Amino acid sequence: MTGPLIIVNLKAYAEGTGEQATRIAAAAREVAEESGAVIGVAPAYTDLGIIARDYDVPVYAQHIDGVTPGAHTGHVTAEQVRAAGAFGTLINHSERRLTLAEIEASLTAARRCGLQAVICTNNVATTAAAAALGPEYVAIEPPELIGTGVSVSKADPGIIERSVEAVRRVNPAVKVLTGAGISTGECVKIALGLGTDGVLLASGVVKAQDPAAALRDLVSLL
Amino acid sequence: MTGPLIIVNLKAYAEGTGEQATRIAAAAREVAEESGAVIGVAPAYTDLGIIARDYDVPVYAQHIDGVTPGAHTGHVTAEQVRAAGAFGTLINHSERRLTLAEIEASLTAARRCGLQAVICTNNVATTAAAAALGPEYVAIEPPELIGTGVSVSKADPGIIERSVEAVRRVNPAVKVLTGAGISTGECVKIALGLGTDGVLLASGVVKAQDPAAALRDLVSLL
Amino acid sequence: MTGPLIIVNLKAYAEGTGEQATRIAAAAREVAEESGAVIGVAPAYTDLGIIARDYDVPVYAQHIDGVTPGAHTGHVTAEQVRAAGAFGTLINHSERRLTLAEIEASLTAARRCGLQAVICTNNVATTAAAAALGPEYVAIEPPELIGTGVSVSKADPGIIERSVEAVRRVNPAVKVLTGAGISTGECVKIALGLGTDGVLLASGVVKAQDPAAALRDLVSLL
Amino acid sequence: MTGPLIIVNLKAYAEGTGEQATRIAAAAREVAEESGAVIGVAPAYTDLGIIARDYDVPVYAQHIDGVTPGAHTGHVTAEQVRAAGAFGTLINHSERRLTLAEIEASLTAARRCGLQAVICTNNVATTAAAAALGPEYVAIEPPELIGTGVSVSKADPGIIERSVEAVRRVNPAVKVLTGAGISTGECVKIALGLGTDGVLLASGVVKAQDPAAALRDLVSLL
C-alpha cells in the first residue's frame, strides 16, 4: 500500500452491523476506487467474512486475542479472522485495552497469520512503548479527542507531533495514524501535516446519513 | 425444545474453525436427525453466520458482551450474533469469566434479542447465584473435571447433585447442564441421572477423528 | 451487633488517607459512643492496622482477593487484613468489580478468616444472586445514585424495596445495606424504612469539613 | 544507591505476612549492613508501614494503581504507599498484569510521589516497550523461569542478554533486574554477568528456614 491509510472502525454501532456494515463497505470501495485512497473497514467479527468476500477493501478485525488455536472459549484468534479474510487487525483499542503482555502476544499472533497490526495508544509515552514492539502502525487516540467531536485541528496538536517524534526515535519503521478527532477532509489534511500516515475514525463515517459523501469529504484534500 | 440438550463448544480449536467448523455442524445435524436429540454448536463468531444459514442446528455464541449497540470496539453484542442467526449464547464460560454485573447485563442483552442463555458456573454456590438471575440454563463446570479427561462418572457426583438441588431451591424454572467431564454416552446417561437436563462438551467431539461417531456414542443411551 | 450498621468507605480519598484516616476513625468512635450506633470504617490497606489497633470501631477492608496465601503479588488476602485487625470486608464494590467466581472465592476467604462480608451489587437481579451466596450483608448501589449527590429519598425507591424482597425470597438470613444516595439523617431514615439494615456511604462523611458533625446528622433520626 | 539491587518480594506468602514479614525485613537489614549490598523488600500493603518505620531497608509496594486520590475503592495509590513510607514500587508483576495505559499511569503516579519504579516484563519485546516508558528499572521475568526452580544459570541466558541490549538501544538510562530463576549467589553472579543490575526474587528467601542465611548466600559472590 502507498498513500495515506484511512480505517473506518464500525465498532458495535447499529449503523455498522449486518446489512448496514455492507453499506459502509460499499461506500469505502466506491470512494477508494474514485480517489485512489486506501480505505479499510473494521467490522464486527460476524460481518467480517461477508465483507472480505464481497467487497474489495482491506478488512481489519477490531481486536484479536494473543492466543494460539485451542481451548479459548469466547476468544478471537488471528487464525479465525485470517480464515474469514481479514487483512489486518486493531490491537489495544481504547475500548478494548490489553495488558502489555497481551499486546505483544496479539502482535505475535498477527505476524504469524500475516495480518497487518495497528496498535492503539493514548499518549506519547505509550506510543513510544508500542513502537518498540514494532507493529506496522500505531494509532494515537488522545483521550481528550475520543468521541468528543473536538477536531484534531482545534485541539493542541502537540501530542500528535511528539508521538510522531517518539516513534521515529524508537522505531522509524513504524507508521502512525491519528486515531481521534477526525471528521472532515480538513482534519485529515492536518493529521497528515503533523507527520502521521493516515487516520482511524468511526462515527464520522458510520453514523453519517451518506457514508460515501462523508468519505469523499475525508479524501477531498489529499 | 424437548429432550436433553447437547451443546458442542468449538472453542478456538483449529479442529473447529472455518471449514472444520462446518464439518462439526454437519455431524451435529446428521446425528440430531437420526436420533431426535437436540444438538447445538457454539462456533467462532466468524463462523457463526455460515453455520446458522447452512445447517439446521441451534447455534450458540460462545460469549456476548452485555452492552447495547454503540461505541464498543472489539466487543460482541447480542444484536450482532442474533443478526448472524444465533439461537442462544454461552455466558461466563470458565475461559471467559465475567463480573457479576456483566453476567446480568449479558443475560439482559440475550433476552432483549430472544437468545437462549446458558450461564456457566464453577461450584454449587455460584450455580445458585446464577440461577437467581433466571437464565434458561446454567452449566456447571467443576474445575476438577475441566479439561482433565476425568469423567463425571468417576469423579464425586455430589457437586452436580447439590448444584441441581440449589437451582431447584432458588429458581426451579432454570435447567441445568453438566458442563465438564463428558466424553461418552455413559457420561451423558450419568449426567442426566444426576438430574441435569443435558451436557456442554468440547474436545470429545471437536477433536474426534469422526465427530459424527462421537456424537452417536453420546446419544446412544438416551 | 444490633441496630443499623453504618459503614464509612474512605475509598482512596486524600481526605481519608494517612492521618486524615485517623481523623475519620476518631469521629466514628466518638459518634458511636455518643449514640450507640454501630459505625464502621473502610480505610486504605496501608491505614488498616493503625486504625484497628488505636480506634475501637469495626474496620473493613475495601476489597479482598479470593486467594489463599501464596504467590499472589499485589493481591490482598483475607489473612493479611485479618492479621492487621480487620473485622470485615467489602466485596465487589462498584469501583472494584469481580467475576462471579471471584466473589464466591472472596466470600469463602472471608469466612475462613472470620471476616464479616458485605457484597456490593448494582440492581435487583445481582442482589438476588449475591444473596444466594449467603454473605452477612449485600449493599445495593443503584448506578443512578452512585456519586451523583441524588438522595435515595428523591430517587425511585422501588429498586431498594425490590432488592429487599428479592433477598428475603432467596436467603432471608442476609441483611441489606443501602449503598448509595445517603448523605443525611433523613436519607438513613428512609433507607431503613425501605427495609434495609443500614447504609454504606463515603464522600458525605469523608469530605465533610467536620466528619463527626456529619455522622451525628446521619444517626440523628435513629 | 550504588551496587547491585536485590529486591525480595514477599508476595502473599504466609511466610512473609504480618510478624513473618518483619522477620524477613530484619534479615534484609542485617545482611545489607554486613555486606554493603542494597536489599529491598516488597511486603503486603498491610505490613508496609511497620516495616518502613522500624527497619532501615528500602520498602517497595508490590503494585500501585495509576490513579490519583479519589473515589477508587479497593485501589492502592502511590500517595497511600508513599505516606506509609515506601521507597519504590513494582509495576506489572507477572501475577498482577496491567494494561499498557495502566502501566504508564502507574509510572506517572510513582514519579509524582517520588517512588522508584520497577516495571516487570516477560520477554525481550515487552522489555523494550517498558524501557521506552523510562522507569528506573525493568525486571525481566522469563515465563519459563518463573516459579519453576530452574536457575537462570541453567536456562538459555539469551533472553536476558537480548533484553539488556534492547533496553540499551531504547533507553540506556533504564537499569535491568533479572526477575526469575534466582536462588543462590551463583545465580546472582550470573545475572550480573549477563549485564543486569540486580535481581528480583521471592520464595528463595521468603520460604527459607533461615532468610538471613539465604540472603548471605545471595550476596556472597558480589
Side-chain angles (χ1 to χ4, degrees), chain C residues 2-221:
Chain C
T2 60
L5 172 62
I6 294 171
I7 301 179
V8 181
N9 179 4
L10 306 194
K11 298 194 173 185
Y13 287 126
E15 299 88 344
T17 298
E19 295 187 4
Q20 300 295 309
T22 58
R23 190 182 57 110
I24 310 284
R29 179 177 56 182
E30 183 183 330
V31 177
E33 285 174 357
E34 286 169 16
S35 66
V38 180
I39 305 177
V41 296
Y45 302 120
T46 43
D47 295 322
L48 212 152
I50 288 171
I51 292 179
R53 192 191 65 197
D54 293 349
Y55 297 85
D56 188 25
V57 292
V59 176
Y60 292 78
Q62 294 179 13
H63 157 83
I64 57 170
D65 290 291
V67 295
T68 46
H72 304 290
T73 300
H75 289 60
V76 175
T77 62
E79 281 76 7
Q80 287 169 357
V81 303
R82 185 61 181 164
F87 171 80
T89 186
L90 306 184
I91 294 174
N92 195 45
H93 189 275
S94 59
E95 294 156 9
R96 192 72 167 87
R97 286 291 190 228
L98 300 177
T99 69
L100 174 57
E102 289 170 337
I103 293 170
E104 196 274 333
S106 294
L107 177 59
T108 297
R111 281 184 188 136
R112 186 175 68 225
C113 292
L115 297 172
Q116 186 188 79
V118 181
I119 301 182
C120 300
T121 56
N122 59 313
N123 58 26
V124 176
T126 54
T127 300
L133 298 173
E136 282 80 358
Y137 285 93
V138 294
I140 165 86
E141 308 176 289
E144 60 270 33
L145 296 184
I146 296 179
T148 56
V150 175
S151 164
V152 71
S153 64
K154 297 285 171 30
D156 173 12
I159 187 172
I160 303 292
E161 291 175 306
R162 291 194 305 277
S163 294
V164 170
E165 284 164 25
V167 169
R168 289 197 181 138
R169 198 171 56 242
V170 171
N171 189 340
V174 176
K175 292 178 183 171
V176 182
L177 301 181
T178 299
I182 302 296
S183 56
T184 67
E186 183 65 21
C187 301
V188 173
K189 189 182 170 190
I190 290 168
L192 300 183
L194 293 170
T196 63
D197 303 285
V199 299
L200 170 63
L201 83 167
S203 59
V205 171
V206 183
K207 296 196 156 191
Q209 285 283 67
D210 182 346
L215 284 166
R216 255 178 224 114
D217 182 28
L218 285 168
V219 302
S220 61
L221 302 180

Side-chain angles (χ1 to χ4, degrees), chain A residues 11 13 93-95 121-123 140-161 163 177-183 187 190-191 194 200-204:
Chain A
K11 299 192 172 186
Y13 287 127
H93 188 276
S94 58
E95 294 156 8
T121 56
N122 58 312
N123 59 25
I140 165 85
E141 307 176 290
E144 59 270 33
L145 295 185
I146 295 179
T148 56
V150 176
S151 164
V152 70
S153 65
K154 296 284 169 32
D156 173 12
I159 186 172
I160 303 291
E161 291 175 306
S163 293
L177 301 182
T178 299
I182 302 295
S183 55
C187 301
I190 289 168
L194 293 170
L200 170 63
L201 83 166
S203 58

Side-chain angles (χ1 to χ4, degrees), chain A residues 9-14 17-18 44-46 48 53 62-63 68-77 79-81 83-84 90 93 95-96, chain B residues 9-14 17-18 44-46 48 53 62-63 68-77 79-81 83-84 90 93 95-96:
Chain A
N9 178 5
L10 306 195
K11 299 192 172 186
Y13 287 127
T17 297
Y45 302 120
T46 44
L48 211 151
R53 192 192 65 195
Q62 293 179 14
H63 158 82
T68 47
H72 303 289
T73 300
H75 289 62
V76 175
T77 62
E79 282 75 8
Q80 288 170 356
V81 302
L90 307 183
H93 188 276
E95 294 156 8
R96 192 71 167 88
Chain B
N9 179 3
L10 307 194
K11 297 193 174 186
Y13 287 127
T17 298
Y45 302 120
T46 43
L48 210 151
R53 192 192 64 195
Q62 293 179 14
H63 157 82
T68 47
H72 303 291
T73 300
H75 289 61
V76 175
T77 62
E79 281 77 6
Q80 287 170 357
V81 303
L90 306 183
H93 188 275
E95 294 156 8
R96 191 73 166 84

Side-chain angles (χ1 to χ4, degrees), chain D residues 59-112:
Chain D
V59 176
Y60 292 77
Q62 293 180 14
H63 157 82
I64 56 169
D65 290 292
V67 294
T68 47
H72 304 289
T73 300
H75 289 61
V76 175
T77 61
E79 282 76 7
Q80 286 170 357
V81 302
R82 185 58 180 167
F87 172 80
T89 186
L90 307 183
I91 294 174
N92 194 46
H93 189 275
S94 59
E95 293 156 9
R96 193 69 167 88
R97 286 291 190 229
L98 301 178
T99 69
L100 175 56
E102 288 170 338
I103 294 171
E104 196 273 334
S106 294
L107 177 59
T108 297
R111 281 184 188 137
R112 185 176 69 226

Side-chain angles (χ1 to χ4, degrees), chain D residues 30-159:
Chain D
E30 182 183 330
V31 178
E33 283 174 359
E34 286 170 17
S35 66
V38 180
I39 305 176
V41 296
Y45 302 121
T46 43
D47 295 321
L48 211 152
I50 288 171
I51 293 179
R53 192 192 65 195
D54 292 349
Y55 297 85
D56 188 24
V57 292
V59 176
Y60 292 77
Q62 293 180 14
H63 157 82
I64 56 169
D65 290 292
V67 294
T68 47
H72 304 289
T73 300
H75 289 61
V76 175
T77 61
E79 282 76 7
Q80 286 170 357
V81 302
R82 185 58 180 167
F87 172 80
T89 186
L90 307 183
I91 294 174
N92 194 46
H93 189 275
S94 59
E95 293 156 9
R96 193 69 167 88
R97 286 291 190 229
L98 301 178
T99 69
L100 175 56
E102 288 170 338
I103 294 171
E104 196 273 334
S106 294
L107 177 59
T108 297
R111 281 184 188 137
R112 185 176 69 226
C113 293
L115 297 172
Q116 187 189 78
V118 181
I119 300 180
C120 300
T121 57
N122 59 312
N123 60 25
V124 177
T126 53
T127 300
L133 297 174
E136 281 82 357
Y137 286 92
V138 293
I140 165 86
E141 307 176 290
E144 61 270 33
L145 296 184
I146 294 179
T148 57
V150 175
S151 164
V152 69
S153 65
K154 295 286 169 31
D156 172 12
I159 186 173

Side-chain angles (χ1 to χ4, degrees), chain A:
Chain A
M1 282 189 201
T2 60
L5 171 62
I6 294 171
I7 301 179
V8 180
N9 178 5
L10 306 195
K11 299 192 172 186
Y13 287 127
E15 299 89 343
T17 297
E19 294 187 5
Q20 299 295 308
T22 58
R23 191 180 57 109
I24 310 285
R29 181 178 54 183
E30 182 183 330
V31 177
E33 284 174 359
E34 285 170 16
S35 66
V38 179
I39 306 177
V41 296
Y45 302 120
T46 44
D47 295 321
L48 211 151
I50 287 172
I51 293 179
R53 192 192 65 195
D54 293 349
Y55 297 86
D56 188 26
V57 292
V59 176
Y60 292 78
Q62 293 179 14
H63 158 82
I64 56 170
D65 289 293
V67 295
T68 47
H72 303 289
T73 300
H75 289 62
V76 175
T77 62
E79 282 75 8
Q80 288 170 356
V81 302
R82 185 59 180 166
F87 171 80
T89 187
L90 307 183
I91 294 172
N92 194 45
H93 188 276
S94 58
E95 294 156 8
R96 192 71 167 88
R97 286 291 189 228
L98 301 177
T99 69
L100 174 57
E102 288 170 338
I103 294 171
E104 197 273 333
S106 295
L107 177 59
T108 297
R111 282 185 187 136
R112 187 176 67 225
C113 294
L115 297 172
Q116 187 188 78
V118 180
I119 301 180
C120 300
T121 56
N122 58 312
N123 59 25
V124 177
T126 54
T127 300
L133 298 173
E136 282 82 356
Y137 285 93
V138 292
I140 165 85
E141 307 176 290
E144 59 270 33
L145 295 185
I146 295 179
T148 56
V150 176
S151 164
V152 70
S153 65
K154 296 284 169 32
D156 173 12
I159 186 172
I160 303 291
E161 291 175 306
R162 291 194 305 277
S163 293
V164 171
E165 284 165 25
V167 170
R168 290 198 181 137
R169 196 171 57 242
V170 170
N171 189 340
V174 176
K175 293 177 183 171
V176 182
L177 301 182
T178 299
I182 302 295
S183 55
T184 67
E186 183 65 22
C187 301
V188 173
K189 189 181 170 190
I190 289 168
L192 300 182
L194 293 170
T196 62
D197 303 285
V199 300
L200 170 63
L201 83 166
S203 58
V205 171
V206 182
K207 296 196 157 192
Q209 285 283 66
D210 183 345
L215 283 166
R216 256 180 222 112
D217 182 29
L218 284 168
V219 302
S220 60
L221 302 179
L222 294 184

